[in-house]
Amino acid sequence: MAYRTSKRIQRVPSHELDISAPRSMRRAGTGTKLLLTAFSAALIYLAYVLVSQSAAYMTKSGKTTYGKVLDRKGDVLFDGTQPLSNYPWGQFADVGNFIGDTSGQMTNTIVARNSSLLANYSFSYGNDGTTVLETSLSHAANRAVYNAFGSKNGTAIAYNWQTGELLVCVSKPCVDITKGYADIDTMPSGSLLCKAFYPTVPGSTQKVSTLLAAYQYAGAETINALEYNCTGEWTNATGDVIKCHQSYGHGNQNLVTAFANSCNPYFAQLVQSDIVPLNDIINAYARMGYSVNDSPAESLEMNGIVIPPASTVLRDSHQFETQWGALGQGRTLVSPYQLMLWQGAIANGTGCAVQPGLLTAVTKSGGTKHSLQSHKLTDQMFSSAAAQSIQKVMTQNVQYNYGALQPYNCGVKSGTAQVNDNGRQYENSLLTGFSLDEQCPVAFCIMIEERESWDVSTGQIASVLLSTLKENL
């Protein structure tokens, strides 16, 4: 019998063919994808920059034209579409050093700080369009205030404390940009800058800040009850004399009468009394935006225009320099813009102000209009209780001294600033305040340089300012 022997066939195990790329190649592919993604994102960003910033680049290249700046009713404040000499002399005489132009002679102006916004160029339309910048300024009121100064130099600034709209900004002397700059060497000093934005000696308008500090830390009931005697001068603890503007004195004064009389001895005694410790006054000033004793303080800004912060020196409440500084003399400096800003926070009774702004809208090439208005508040500069307390004192001051302003429901504080300009001494007259009139809710500051008793007064200019604004708002 034959047997068949079966053989088991041994098969070589088969494996599926691995056709995937080596791991190193896979890593390289992922990196390539990331690079391509990054490159695409960079192209998109570059395109965005070219479109959104094209006007800025063209402005820097000097190959663009500029549009117009208009006031709240469409009156021209600057025109870059034609030679300015096409306008009659005087068209821009009241706004030249505030609105500015594209000549490069003035840098801290609306046009200089917003040249990219004003440029007649867009990525889509090139140089063909006409840009229009609309503002809140009332050219009619600005011109009326400018004329009210007469032959005197100085500055006036006012804004709507409810909306933040800047309404008036006059600075004399002022360059008439229609005439150009051929006579720049003979222009009066100050023609090319707007004095509203630069610190000056505030005089007794500083008593507003000192009283705010006192109300903030000691309370209105305590401060309003204080009484001091004024005989025309007062000798402090270190033997220095604080003189009153009224040589025979004011007699016994409480806070309200001392504020209305702007009595220097009263406020100097308040500072020395330590009822409000000096550190508290310093802290109050710092919250308001002062640089005290060279401490850091931020500059203010309005539509690109830079305003240096207020500054003072307060080291010893018993010494003349500190008392004099708290009265707005010595080394105390404040811009009219900042004085106006504090008045806005007093007028609304909160201690915060709506930040002023001039630009309201821009129409770029292609006809697209964009709003530029905002309603931003400042930080808390002082308490609402302090704001409301001093509001009452300032409105009482109008009842005592400024009958012509009573119809506007105003509160004001005047100041006489003794200035030493490189050895040349003179006095500036200031007035800062607010109107609570529903049709004219305005905060303002006015300064007349080198005023004499027979010159126009700050009160008269304030009356012109408020009456013309009420007509033009």
Side-chain angles (χ1 to χ4, degrees), residues 14 29 33 42 44 52 54 66 68 78 122 160 216 289 301 309 315 321 331 367 373 419 431-433 469-470:
S14 63
K33 289 179 182 179
I44 293 171
S52 63
S54 57
Y66 296 91
K68 296 180 180 180
F78 170 77
S122 73
N160 184 319
Q216 180 100 354
E301 185 269 343
R315 300 195 187 280
E321 182 183 47
R331 293 169 61 183
Q373 286 183 302
V419 179
L431 187 73
T432 188
L469 281 178
K470 194 166 184 176

Side-chain angles (χ1 to χ4, degrees), residues 135-378:
T135 74
S136 57
L137 195 80
S138 170
H139 201 183
N142 213 70
R143 179 58 59 87
V145 172
Y146 179 87
N147 291 338
F149 274 85
S151 62
K152 303 306 293 184
N153 291 325
T155 187
I157 185 168
Y159 90 122
N160 184 319
W161 53 262
Q162 291 181 337
T163 65
E165 295 173 299
L166 194 77
L167 302 168
V168 168
C169 189
V170 167
S171 181
K172 289 189 66 180
C174 185
V175 61
D176 185 347
I177 56 178
T178 63
K179 298 180 181 180
Y181 300 88
D183 61 343
I184 190 171
D185 292 336
T186 60
M187 287 181 182
S189 176
S191 297
L192 301 182
L193 57 85
C194 183
K195 298 171 185 174
F197 303 124
Y198 294 92
T200 186
V201 181
S204 287
T205 60
Q206 181 69 14
K207 289 169 183 169
V208 172
S209 296
T210 300
L211 184 53
L212 280 168
Y215 279 151
Q216 180 100 354
Y217 289 98
E221 185 176 353
T222 297
I223 298 302
N224 289 346
L226 292 177
E227 292 188 0
Y228 295 110
N229 190 48
C230 170
T231 61
E233 61 180 35
W234 172 73
T235 303
N236 69 10
T238 58
D240 292 312
V241 176
I242 300 285
K243 292 187 176 182
C244 190
H245 65 88
Q246 187 160 288
S247 59
Y248 52 84
H250 293 111
N252 203 47
Q253 301 275 287
N254 60 27
L255 184 280
V256 173
T257 56
F259 190 90
N261 291 325
S262 201
C263 181
N264 286 341
Y266 180 97
F267 280 88
Q269 290 175 81
L270 171 61
V271 173
Q272 181 176 283
S273 70
D274 288 333
I275 291 173
V276 184
L278 184 60
N279 281 341
D280 289 341
I281 296 178
I282 291 173
N283 289 336
Y285 277 21
R287 286 184 64 185
M288 293 175 67
Y290 285 84
S291 168
V292 185
N293 302 332
D294 297 320
S295 65
E298 292 185 4
S299 296
L300 290 79
E301 185 269 343
M302 186 196 73
N303 294 132
I305 288 179
V306 177
I307 304 102
S311 60
T312 191
V313 173
L314 306 173
R315 300 195 187 280
D316 185 336
S317 61
H318 295 80
Q319 290 185 343
F320 177 85
E321 182 183 47
T322 293
Q323 295 162 6
W324 206 223
L327 301 181
Q329 294 293 160
R331 293 169 61 183
T332 300
L333 297 170
V334 190
S335 69
Y337 174 93
Q338 200 160 11
L339 287 167
M340 175 194 73
L341 185 67
W342 295 328
Q343 292 303 312
I346 292 170
N348 65 30
T350 68
C352 296
V354 179
Q355 292 183 358
L358 178 74
L359 304 182
T360 59
V362 59
T363 301
K364 296 293 289 184
S365 301
T368 304
K369 186 173 181 177
H370 301 281
S371 174
L372 299 175
Q373 286 183 302
S374 64
H375 194 83
K376 296 181 180 179
L377 296 176
T378 65

Side-chain angles (χ1 to χ4, degrees), residues 81-102:
T81 66
Q82 59 181 308
L84 292 171
S85 56
N86 290 356
Y87 283 88
W89 284 13
Q91 170 71 20
F92 312 114
D94 59 314
V95 296
N97 54 15
F98 169 46
I99 300 298
D101 59 18
T102 57

Side-chain angles (χ1 to χ4, degrees), residues 150 422 427:
N422 295 317
E427 291 184 343

